[in-house]
Amino acid sequence: MKKLLLVLLSIFAFSTYGQIFTGSGTYYVGNDGTAPGGTNPHWKYLSGAFAAIDTAGILTGDVTLYITSSIVDTNHAALMVNTNGFNLLIKPLAGTVDTITSLKTTDNAGVSGLVIIGGNLLNMTNIIPTNNVTIDGSNTVGGITKDLIFQTRSTANLNTNALRIFGEANHCTIKNVRVVPLNAVTYGLSVTTRFINATNYTADSLIIENCDIINNSNAGQVIGLSNSGTPTAVPTGIIIRNNYLEGRNRGIFLNYCGNIDIYNNEISMTQPTTGFQTNGIFAYVIGASATDSNYVINIYNNKITKLSTGNAAATDYGAIGINIIGRGKYYVYNNMIGGFATTTTSTDANFKIHGIRVASAVSYANIAYNTIQLPNLTYTPGLGTQEYAAFSITNGYDTLLNNIVVVEQATDTAFAIIRGTSGTMYSNFNDLYVTGSSLTGKFGTTLTPTLTDWRTASGQDSASVTKAVNFVSPIDLHLTGTSIGDMDLAGTPIAWATKDFDGNIRDAGKPYMGADERPESPLPVELISFGASVQGNVVSLSWSTSTEINNSGFEVEKKVNGTWSKIGFVKGNGTTTQMHDYSFVDNNVSGLVSYRLRQVDLDGSYTYTKEVEVNASVPEKFELSQNYPNPFNPNTTIKFNIPNDMKVKLEVYSINGELVNTLVDDYKLAGSYEYNFNASNLASGTYIYRLTAGANVISKKMTLMK
């Protein structure tokens, strides 16, 4: 019976315009289009063209199918052929913009889908690998216009897939198309691993790029990688890039997946219905067994512009930007996640809204340079198991570096970060900024309102900050205003993430936190110390930099009787990520004088340092002044006087007596001295600075408050 149906399909395919497929060459498909030369297309329907190719069974050369007009097809278009190392290309004819509409109301008996690559209408048992197929929706060669549209019928249908890659379909590409189901489907575009007769059929080395894909099914996926049967292997080498994805339930769903790169996609998700979660990217099952933990999942440079939920069900539902519950090694970076909204007033304990969630005990997640904004929402989060958090890290082996988090819940409690007590986590150099009644974090069951509280409970984020950030808009999380050039947003270099969301090279020494590096305004020369010492009538200035960008040098200025004048110039080191020490000596000084540095860039722009004041007269007594400012963040100045030449040591200790820094350990002449202390690598708290000079010892307390 199956053989008879295939014969009937092939007769239909051949008889449409009297064309027989010869195994290679160029062909034309269209309901009412005209092929070059004014002739009729070879087939009216894409289903007829595919049936003819399937019947031939093997390609003898490259094949191109040009779509000459919009097509209303009454059947599924299913392609399963041995391409024999040749290429098969499907694209619109130059100058045409074509829509392929299926009027099919139900799934076929074999492989379900409206347009299928790698499947047959009647045979999903004897799979024929269908490799090297490209669907290119642009009507120009090498173009990026989207001139080919796939859509379902507008009335009710039971089709589960609009566009489908099935079984073994290696080295295939779907690009420049629009997939717009006019009624509910399970997948807008699906990639299915087939396991049958103890054999895995996987679609390796697949590219999905520059497509617009929409699926407004409450329970559907926009792009889904899933399975038929229970495979023991998964597709690898998958690339999903530069797409616009719009849906309700899951933007990208990874279920039975191996190595994959997901980048430069824009995702907008709106779930109006209760009982369904909405996810931007959902990594559900990675690998095919519990031992598959070595697959690498790269998720970067994606922009999630909307995550709206109307759910109020008593289940683990809500809105999640990137949801990781599958095993594997993840690199999640340079993503902008915003646009959270809700139409529910749910107070259910399981209701969750997360920017990035990691809930897998066998995942290794490297999370860096992401920007997440959680606005003030109308629903009522609580302090139980209900969660409204930028980060929810409950399991795994995870690293969080250089992220910007803004949580703006005004009247109810929410969190910048939630951390379970299982697994391991290293978190640092993040901006964890909260407003209203939001808390910095929750560690286990311990609530941590402030960054200091979070550090105490978690032992993390010693170099992190809490700083307000200016974004272009709630859905465009590029930096703007005073956040450009803000040294408080300086992070730490990461070897595996050297570019930002826009592809700009990150600063090698002090990159910005978050997804956006601002190349037009690099973080400036960072001066980590500037001090002066007096020996008789000689003043010695010394300063150090940790990084320099376009630094021409330093003009040394001196103030006497209220007037500043330039007394020297010290050449800088251009652009460098290495620490450099500088010095300048001013002779024959008397009385009270002040100094400052005018740091000049190569383009002529400049900035001034703070002033340092010295008294060139010999002090009468041994003295240690209170640091200024105090409290401080992260720089403060410490001054002391010694009336005689002697060995001097100036040290900083933690409140527990641990030595954290030695500022001076040298023989000094009688005079007044001033040193800058930079505590950017220390946690907030009380510290003790101690001066030892000969038999004299003086200690004072100072407070670092970040």
Side-chain angles (χ1 to χ4, degrees):
M1 183 64 183
K2 288 184 178 180
K3 182 176 181 180
L4 175 60
L5 287 172
L6 280 173
V7 170
L8 290 174
L9 281 170
S10 64
I11 291 173
F12 167 77
F14 299 158
S15 64
T16 302
Y17 287 121
Q19 174 66 34
I20 297 176
F21 178 68
T22 62
S24 65
T26 300
Y27 301 86
Y28 301 90
V29 184
N31 281 174
D32 53 8
T34 301
T39 62
N40 288 329
H42 298 101
W43 296 280
K44 280 188 175 182
Y45 306 108
L46 189 61
S47 61
F50 281 6
I53 295 171
D54 289 354
T55 301
I58 190 170
L59 301 188
T60 58
D62 289 344
V63 173
T64 300
L65 296 180
Y66 283 111
I67 309 300
T68 65
S69 69
S70 293
I71 297 172
V72 178
D73 207 331
T74 58
N75 212 329
H76 300 276
L79 179 70
M80 187 168 68
V81 63
N82 178 7
T83 53
N84 196 26
F86 295 104
N87 300 306
L88 195 156
L89 172 65
I90 304 161
K91 70 183 283 103
L93 188 66
T96 66
V97 177
D98 307 315
T99 300
I100 298 177
T101 304
S102 175
L103 298 182
K104 191 73 174 177
T105 58
T106 61
D107 283 328
N108 53 276
V111 181
S112 62
L114 302 179
V115 177
I116 308 156
I117 305 300
N120 188 282
L121 291 176
L122 303 173
N123 189 344
M124 58 188 301
T125 302
N126 299 318
I127 304 295
I128 298 175
T130 304
N131 303 321
N132 307 325
V133 176
T134 296
I135 299 179
D136 179 359
S138 178
N139 61 20
T140 59
V141 177
I144 60 173
T145 54
K146 301 165 187 174
D147 306 310
L148 183 60
I149 303 167
F150 295 94
Q151 69 179 25
T152 64
R153 57 186 284 142
S154 58
T155 55
N157 65 81
L158 298 176
N159 290 289
T160 57
N161 303 269
L163 186 57
R164 190 175 195 184
I165 308 298
F166 185 85
E168 188 165 343
N170 301 321
H171 304 287
C172 293
T173 298
I174 310 295
K175 63 180 180 180
N176 305 325
V177 303
R178 299 188 68 228
V179 181
V180 188
L182 300 182
N183 211 290
V185 292
T186 305
Y187 298 93
L189 189 157
S190 67
V191 180
T192 304
T193 295
R194 173 63 170 157
F195 182 73
I196 191 73
N197 297 330
T199 303
N200 294 289
Y201 297 95
T202 63
D204 297 324
S205 302
L206 172 69
I207 298 175
I208 302 169
E209 65 177 340
N210 198 41
C211 299
D212 292 348
I213 306 175
I214 298 172
N215 183 10
N216 285 321
S217 170
N218 290 334
Q221 285 66 231
V222 183
I223 294 179
L225 276 68
S226 195
N227 61 297
S228 175
T230 306
T232 58
V234 292
T236 64
I238 308 298
I239 297 174
I240 302 175
R241 64 188 176 199
N242 302 321
N243 303 287
Y244 173 75
L245 308 177
E246 181 181 313
R248 295 185 178 186
N249 190 23
R250 296 161 181 162
I252 299 176
F253 179 48
L254 307 180
N255 183 30
Y256 286 93
C257 175
N259 298 332
I260 186 168
D261 292 287
I262 301 171
Y263 60 96
N264 290 356
N265 301 285
E266 181 176 342
I267 301 174
S268 177
M269 305 296 293
T270 301
Q271 179 58 265
T273 306
T274 190
F276 297 96
Q277 190 182 85
T278 187
N279 295 265
I281 299 171
F282 189 10
Y284 184 57
V285 175
I286 303 299
S289 71
T291 61
D292 287 344
S293 294
N294 293 318
Y295 288 114
V296 176
I297 303 91
N298 297 308
I299 302 173
Y300 61 99
N301 291 38
N302 299 286
K303 186 177 182 180
I304 300 178
T305 59
K306 190 171 186 180
L307 286 163
S308 177
T309 178
N311 183 56
T315 49
D316 185 10
Y317 291 131
I320 301 174
I322 299 175
N323 192 1
I324 297 171
I325 66 173
R327 64 184 71 87
K329 296 180 179 178
Y330 294 83
Y331 292 86
V332 181
Y333 60 102
N334 288 347
N335 299 287
M336 294 184 180
I337 304 175
F340 287 90
T342 180
T343 57
T344 180
T345 56
S346 173
T347 57
D348 177 72
N350 292 314
F351 188 76
K352 292 176 173 61
I353 291 181
H354 296 147
I356 296 177
R357 179 192 187 199
V358 182
S360 170
V362 288
S363 67
Y364 300 79
N366 299 283
I367 301 171
Y369 289 122
N370 300 284
T371 301
I372 304 173
Q373 184 186 41
L374 272 64
N376 181 34
L377 299 183
T378 57
Y379 89 109
T380 307
L383 292 178
T385 58
Q386 189 178 85
E387 296 174 354
Y388 182 38
F391 290 122
S392 177
I393 312 295
T394 57
N395 281 300
Y397 306 87
D398 310 306
T399 299
L400 279 71
L401 289 172
N402 293 350
N403 300 284
I404 290 178
V405 165
V406 175
V407 182
E408 300 174 331
Q409 194 68 18
T411 58
D412 304 304
T413 302
F415 305 92
I417 182 170
I418 294 173
R419 170 62 179 163
T421 55
S422 60
T424 61
M425 181 181 75
Y426 173 68
S427 181
N428 214 353
F429 293 95
N430 302 296
D431 181 13
L432 305 175
Y433 181 71
V434 297
T435 65
S437 298
S438 301
L439 308 184
T440 298
K442 181 168 69 170
F443 187 75
T445 58
T446 302
L447 301 179
T448 59
T450 69
L451 180 57
T452 299
D453 297 331
W454 167 255
R455 288 168 174 156
T456 301
S458 68
Q460 303 293 319
D461 288 289
S462 63
S464 293
V465 298
T466 177
K467 183 67 182 289
V469 182
N470 295 311
F471 298 128
V472 172
S473 76
I475 62 173
D476 184 352
L477 302 183
H478 285 87
L479 299 176
T480 191
T482 58
S483 292
I484 299 176
D486 187 347
M487 279 303 299
D488 288 339
L489 299 180
T492 187
I494 301 174
W496 51 266
T498 58
K499 295 183 179 181
D500 79 338
F501 177 88
D502 301 302
N504 298 313
I505 300 296
R506 289 195 177 274
D507 183 78
K510 291 289 182 180
Y512 280 90
M513 300 173 184
D516 184 26
E517 186 83 6
R518 305 302 296 177
E520 72 275 16
S521 180
L523 294 172
V525 173
E526 184 176 8
L527 195 73
I528 59 174
S529 67
F530 175 42
S533 61
V534 180
Q535 299 178 359
N537 63 349
V538 176
V539 175
S540 296
L541 303 176
S542 61
W543 64 96
S544 299
T545 62
S546 62
T547 61
E548 299 178 27
I549 299 175
N550 300 325
N551 181 23
S552 173
F554 303 89
E555 294 179 356
V556 182
E557 296 186 357
K558 177 181 178 180
K559 183 170 71 173
V560 179
N561 298 324
T563 301
W564 287 102
S565 61
K566 177 182 174 181
I567 61 172
F569 179 80
V570 179
K571 185 178 179 181
N573 282 279
T575 298
T576 176
T577 60
Q578 303 297 316
M579 181 179 290
H580 288 277
D581 298 322
Y582 298 90
S583 62
F584 182 85
V585 175
D586 187 17
N587 296 302
N588 300 317
V589 181
S590 62
L592 190 66
V593 295
S594 297
Y595 297 89
R596 70 182 182 186
L597 302 176
R598 185 175 184 262
Q599 186 271 313
V600 183
D601 286 344
L602 294 174
D603 63 2
S605 59
Y606 61 88
T607 56
Y608 284 103
T609 68
K610 67 179 183 64
E611 302 176 20
V612 294
E613 185 180 74
V614 297
N615 191 337
S617 58
V618 177
E620 297 179 355
K621 63 179 180 178
F622 178 71
E623 186 176 23
L624 175 65
S625 301
Q626 183 65 48
N627 66 299
Y628 180 82
N630 188 48
F632 66 97
N633 178 29
N635 294 288
T636 190
T637 299
I638 301 173
K639 298 180 180 180
F640 62 88
N641 299 326
I642 53 173
N644 303 301
D645 302 346
M646 60 183 66
K647 176 69 179 296
V648 175
K649 183 179 289 188
L650 179 61
E651 300 168 307
V652 179
Y653 292 86
S654 71
I655 195 66
N656 297 321
E658 177 186 4
L659 177 65
V660 297
N661 205 318
T662 299
L663 299 178
V664 181
D665 187 6
D666 202 1
Y667 190 86
K668 297 292 183 183
L669 300 178
S672 301
Y673 296 86
E674 177 179 317
Y675 288 91
N676 176 267
F677 173 53
N678 183 289
S680 59
N681 63 333
L682 298 178
S684 297
T686 300
Y687 292 85
I688 298 170
Y689 60 103
R690 184 174 70 184
L691 177 67
T692 304
N696 302 289
V697 179
I698 302 178
S699 298
K700 291 182 180 292
K701 291 182 179 180
M702 58 182 174
T703 302
L704 172 61
M705 185 176 294
K706 292 187 176 181

